[in-house]
Amino acid sequence: GDSVTQMEGPVTLSEEAFLTINCTYTATGYPSLFWYVQYPGEGLQLLLKATKADDKGSNKGFEATYRKETTSFHLEKGSVQVSDSAVYFCALRVTGGGNKLTFGTGTQLKVEL
Amino acid sequence: ETGVTQSPTHLIKTRGQQVTLRCSSQSGHNTVSWYQQALGQGPQFIFQYYREEENGRGNFPPRFSGLQFPNYSSELNVNALELDDSALYLCASSLENARGSYEQYFGPGTRLTVT
């Protein structure tokens, strides 16, 4: 079946540090890949997406590149801010599988001054 | 444009009881998906409704059921509640048409506690 594996958290960084959150996947078909962010007490917000191999999704300084050869979609940001503190979820959706999203377990990011 | 809304925000029920959660989809969306997010876990797909019919189901027992109404709003019903049903229940709406499926927009969730 389809699955997503994320690095465990919490990840604690100082402001302006470089962020990487690893994500790898297993899919029965050709997936689209997503990163969602969940701020405390809120629902999920789409952060970025990529729909085919070698695509790079980007938003708000965050980037992730769809690597089919390594089945990975790692999230990166060059300089994190305190306001980036949240839980980040990697997810996939398989073409022909309806609109079902398969999520990883989430990685909590804490950014300190 | 109104986003996805869910009610109630919080709910406490006793084991064995039944619960109904509600979701209003975003304007222009015709599909609703429900997810269960246990504490410290990622959301798990329960089922999806499109044009008032169930259109895909995850690994959840039949006591989890749903409805979609002509205005595309939706209900999630859970019978015979168990302690493990305690979770955040997320609703997401999206548009599906002949061109495919589009981005899901999530509501803030309903926090269900079963005691």
Side-chain angles (χ1 to χ4, degrees), chain B residues 37-99:
Chain B
Q37 185 179 11
L39 195 63
Q41 300 297 314
Q44 298 290 316
F45 177 74
I46 302 174
F47 45 53
Q48 179 182 97
Y49 277 82
Y50 171 64
R51 292 185 174 179
E52 303 178 52
E53 298 282 337
E54 187 179 292
N55 180 37
R57 189 179 183 93
N59 190 26
F60 281 81
R63 58 189 185 84
F64 286 78
S65 63
L67 286 173
Q68 187 181 32
F69 301 99
N71 66 355
Y72 304 121
S73 66
S74 177
E75 287 183 353
L76 164 65
N77 298 290
V78 187
N79 294 321
L81 283 167
E82 301 177 358
L83 296 178
D84 285 348
D85 296 333
S86 295
L88 180 69
Y89 288 85
L90 295 166
C91 166
S93 75
S94 58
L95 174 66
E96 291 205 22
N97 56 29
R99 295 183 180 180

Side-chain angles (χ1 to χ4, degrees), chain A residues 38 43-44 46 89 99 101 104, chain B residues 35 37 42 48 94 102-104:
Chain A
Q38 188 173 37
L44 299 174
L46 179 64
F89 292 93
N99 213 2
L101 288 166
Chain B
Y35 294 82
Q37 185 179 11
Q48 179 182 97
S94 58
Y102 295 87
E103 178 187 340
Q104 294 187 38

Side-chain angles (χ1 to χ4, degrees), chain A:
Chain A
D2 303 330
S3 67
V4 175
T5 302
Q6 290 181 236
M7 62 187 288
E8 289 193 17
V11 173
T12 303
L13 296 174
S14 299
E15 202 170 43
E16 300 184 2
F18 185 86
L19 167 71
T20 299
I21 299 178
N22 291 337
C23 170
T24 58
Y25 67 89
T26 302
T28 52
Y30 197 108
S32 295
L33 301 174
F34 306 84
W35 277 100
Y36 282 83
V37 58
Q38 188 173 37
Y39 297 100
E42 298 184 12
L44 299 174
Q45 299 175 26
L46 179 64
L47 182 59
L48 54 84
K49 66 180 181 182
T51 59
K52 61 182 187 295
D54 300 326
D55 269 1
K56 178 184 284 188
S58 61
N59 185 27
K60 300 180 180 180
F62 291 90
E63 293 183 339
T65 301
Y66 189 142
R67 301 289 188 198
K68 187 178 179 184
E69 63 276 14
T70 55
T71 61
S72 64
F73 192 55
H74 305 321
L75 182 68
E76 296 181 337
K77 187 175 185 182
S79 176
V80 294
Q81 306 299 312
V82 172
S83 58
D84 294 326
S85 298
V87 181
Y88 292 81
F89 292 93
C90 185
L92 67 82
R93 183 184 71 207
V94 175
T95 304
N99 213 2
K100 168 191 171 183
L101 288 166
T102 299
F103 288 89
T105 55
T107 302
Q108 184 177 12
L109 171 65
K110 298 179 180 178
V111 181
E112 302 172 336
L113 290 171

